[in-house]
């Protein structure tokens, strides 16, 4: 019994010592947020792919140019007019419907408007100076999908 207690104590001490208490992950996410913001603000963007619940909706959005402004305003211009929304990149800390600790890319347009389908919190899959790929994990409404932007 003493041997078992001793092993348990050693195990718990090993567990406590091995816990990561530094802020490396938080600093990495903050760096990623800053980098993605810089990428977005550097150019105009267009949607190259948008699927929601297995339905391809890319054609409905191919004539729009998206401008991400530093004030977190989002302007979508097309031959149909100009539409205003908002955007934000943040660390969700696993507090939303999606339990993972990752970057969220949030887009908000008027829900009943032409661009309302884009309104969601997406997980960032990849991003560089020419392309941004986002994934909508199944959310509280049961929606899932993918959204990709390319530099105009």
């Amino acid at each position: 019994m003493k041997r078992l207690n001793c092993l348990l104590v050693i195990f718990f001490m090993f567990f406590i010592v091995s816990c990561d208490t530094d802020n490396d992950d938080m600093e990495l996410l903050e760096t990623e947020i800053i980098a993605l913001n810089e990428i977005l603000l550097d150019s105009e963007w267009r949607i190259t792919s948008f699927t929601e619940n297995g339905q391809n909706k890319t054609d409905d959005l191919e004539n729009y140019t998206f401008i991400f402004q530093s004030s977190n305003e989002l302007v979508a211009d097309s031959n149909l007019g100009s539409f205003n929304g908002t955007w934000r990149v943040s660390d969700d800390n696993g507090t939303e419907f999606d339990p993972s600790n990752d970057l969220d890319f949030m887009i908000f347009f008027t829900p009943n408007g032409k661009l309302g389908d884009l309104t969601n919190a997406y997980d960032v899959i990849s991003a560089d100076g020419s392309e941004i790929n986002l994934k909508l994990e199944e959310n509280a409404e049961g929606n899932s999908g993918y959204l990709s932007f390319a530099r105009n």
Side-chain angles (χ1 to χ4, degrees), residues 8-19:
L8 286 174
V9 169
I10 291 171
F11 172 77
F12 284 116
M13 287 180 65
F14 177 78
F15 179 76
I16 290 170
V17 170
S18 67
C19 288

Side-chain angles (χ1 to χ4, degrees), residues 2-145:
K2 285 184 180 186
R3 178 176 271 181
L4 179 59
N5 286 340
C6 227
L7 286 174
L8 286 174
V9 169
I10 291 171
F11 172 77
F12 284 116
M13 287 180 65
F14 177 78
F15 179 76
I16 290 170
V17 170
S18 67
C19 288
D20 185 9
T21 58
D22 61 18
N23 293 328
D24 291 347
D25 294 340
M26 191 177 345
E27 290 171 7
L28 180 60
L29 285 172
E30 187 64 31
T31 302
E32 291 172 341
I33 290 169
I34 292 168
L36 184 52
N37 280 311
E38 288 174 359
I39 289 170
L40 287 164
L41 298 173
D42 191 35
S43 184
E44 296 179 353
W45 298 86
R46 62 183 161 73
I47 291 178
T48 56
S49 178
F50 177 54
T51 60
E52 185 177 46
N53 300 326
Q55 183 181 7
N56 189 338
K57 298 182 175 185
T58 309
D59 291 344
D60 298 337
L61 303 166
E62 68 184 356
N63 294 320
Y64 288 90
T65 298
F66 293 84
I67 303 164
F68 298 89
Q69 299 175 343
S70 60
S71 60
N72 290 97
E73 293 179 25
L74 174 57
V75 178
D77 285 325
S78 78
N79 56 353
L80 300 173
S82 183
F83 301 90
N84 295 316
T86 59
W87 68 281
R88 181 170 52 116
V89 177
S90 70
D91 168 15
D92 74 7
N93 287 322
T95 58
E96 297 171 0
F97 190 79
D98 170 16
S100 61
N101 184 14
D102 55 13
L103 288 184
D104 270 358
F105 188 106
M106 288 158 271
I107 297 175
F108 305 97
F109 281 102
T110 304
N112 299 333
K114 184 118 176 99
L115 302 173
D117 284 348
L118 292 175
T119 298
N120 273 304
Y122 300 88
D123 289 336
V124 177
I125 298 172
S126 64
D128 60 33
S130 61
E131 186 175 49
I132 299 167
N133 294 298
L134 310 169
K135 181 178 183 180
L136 174 61
E137 296 284 350
E138 186 172 334
N139 62 15
E141 291 82 37
N143 296 329
S144 62

